[in-house]
Amino acid sequence: MDSGVDADHPDLADAVLRGTDVLDSGDDGRSDVNGHGTAMAGVIAGRGHGRGHQNGILGIAPGAKILPVRITGDAQASGTEVADALAFARAHGARVANMSFGGADDSTVHDAIKAALADDMVLVASSGNRDEAGGQYPGRYPEVLTVGAVDRAGKIADLSVTGPQVDLVAPGVDIATTGITDSGYYQSSGTSHAAAVVSGAAALVRAKFPDLSAAEVVHRLTATATDAGAPGRDDTYGYGRLNLVKALTADVPPLADAPASARADAPVGVAPRKPVKRVSPLVFAGGAAVVVLLIGGLLVGLMLRRRR
């Protein structure tokens, strides 16, 4: 759920399904006047273009399909609109929800997230960018996999919000992706991008291990992360840096085999938690919260560096 996705972008050819626009019932979400949704879609499922797809942007999961659910054109969305978008995603079989946005705690949205989890959807949220208004939900909800951003050196990015809600970190600085500029590309930074990277990783895990539940997908991603910061889980890096090769290849014991103490502390449905710059905000009016671009996202106050 986001600002829509430019389905005519050459790197997203055949990737974008017919979605919906909760603001305009006559639209299908496959257009974008803001650019953020197109940027997230590229990180997740860019297919490149040209001979052998050697040009343009190749996303994390280039075989994934994007279900665009447009909830904003002017960076405003209510909790009800977000909940309606999640309901549409559930009804249309979305397996991964990317929630790169920030808002206030909102019971309507939280209930919608719980319902999506009950339908076995992997829910990925950004931790939020520092010094930006709007709040840090849904990243603070225990039902979601919350992602912070690291820089080119693998260190926590200055912009990344940290705290006990962080589960994983992934690249989020100077990310090249698809855009709606004249060139068709952006170089952008934000925890939005880090969440999109993890959403792409979740799509790959679900493709390789189709019988895994959403909770087991999250468990596989966190159990195979590369430890960073203080030994074990910490409030800066969470379980560590996403390690996609291990997530796809490692022998990971089922979540049911985790120590009882870890299972007891785990949120329901989620893996246990072990001992040119441009502002593109998504603000939830009336106390609000999630957005799911299935599968791209939108972050309050996201700083995008657009370079033509």
Side-chain angles (χ1 to χ4, degrees), residues 126-274:
S126 54
S127 67
N129 293 350
R130 293 185 182 276
D131 302 323
E132 293 175 357
Q136 296 168 14
Y137 289 88
R140 288 187 175 273
Y141 291 134
E143 293 82 6
V144 304
L145 176 62
T146 302
V147 184
V150 291
D151 61 20
R152 289 170 178 252
K155 302 298 184 183
I156 195 70
D158 291 340
L159 57 79
S160 188
V161 170
T162 59
Q165 72 277 15
V166 175
D167 296 301
L168 279 178
V169 293
V173 175
D174 296 334
I175 304 299
T177 187
T178 48
I180 60 170
T181 56
D182 290 344
S183 71
Y185 300 98
Y186 301 146
Q187 188 177 35
S188 326
S189 299
T191 55
S192 238
H193 302 66
V197 168
V198 172
S199 288
L204 289 181
V205 171
R206 297 215 90 160
K208 182 165 184 182
F209 305 101
D211 294 332
L212 290 186
S213 67
E216 290 287 1
V217 171
V218 172
H219 175 54
R220 178 167 278 273
L221 291 169
T222 55
T224 57
T226 300
D227 195 16
R233 195 211 161 274
D234 64 78
D235 288 352
T236 300
Y237 294 90
Y239 292 106
R241 292 188 291 264
L242 173 71
N243 188 326
L244 186 48
V245 172
K246 279 192 175 181
L248 294 171
T249 61
D251 182 9
V252 178
L255 181 56
D257 293 342
S261 59
R263 292 200 304 274
D265 293 337
V268 176
V270 180
R273 288 178 160 85
K274 308 184 246 191

Side-chain angles (χ1 to χ4, degrees), residues 2-7 21 23 27 29-39 70 72-75 179-181 186 278 280 298 304 306:
D2 209 302
S3 59
V5 175
D6 178 8
D21 185 336
L23 307 176
D27 194 11
R30 295 191 295 179
S31 62
D32 187 2
V33 297
N34 176 283
H36 190 277
T38 301
R70 181 175 177 269
T72 184
D74 60 1
I180 60 170
T181 56
Y186 301 146
R278 174 181 180 274
S280 178
L298 191 60
L304 290 177
R306 289 189 170 184

Side-chain angles (χ1 to χ4, degrees), residues 42-136:
V43 172
I44 295 166
R47 282 147 161 68
H49 66 273
R51 185 180 178 132
H53 301 277
Q54 293 178 350
N55 299 320
I57 298 299
L58 192 67
I60 301 298
K65 294 287 188 180
I66 299 291
L67 179 68
V69 184
R70 181 175 177 269
I71 61 164
T72 184
D74 60 1
Q76 300 287 329
S78 72
T80 299
E81 289 163 347
V82 170
D84 287 347
L86 270 170
F88 177 89
R90 290 171 52 211
H92 288 77
R95 305 295 308 285
V96 178
N98 186 80
M99 300 179 289
S100 292
F101 71 85
D105 187 6
D106 187 301
S107 60
T108 300
V109 174
H110 196 186
D111 287 346
I113 286 176
K114 292 175 183 177
L117 181 61
D119 272 357
D120 201 41
M121 191 185 297
V122 175
L123 300 159
V124 182
S126 54
S127 67
N129 293 350
R130 293 185 182 276
D131 302 323
E132 293 175 357
Q136 296 168 14

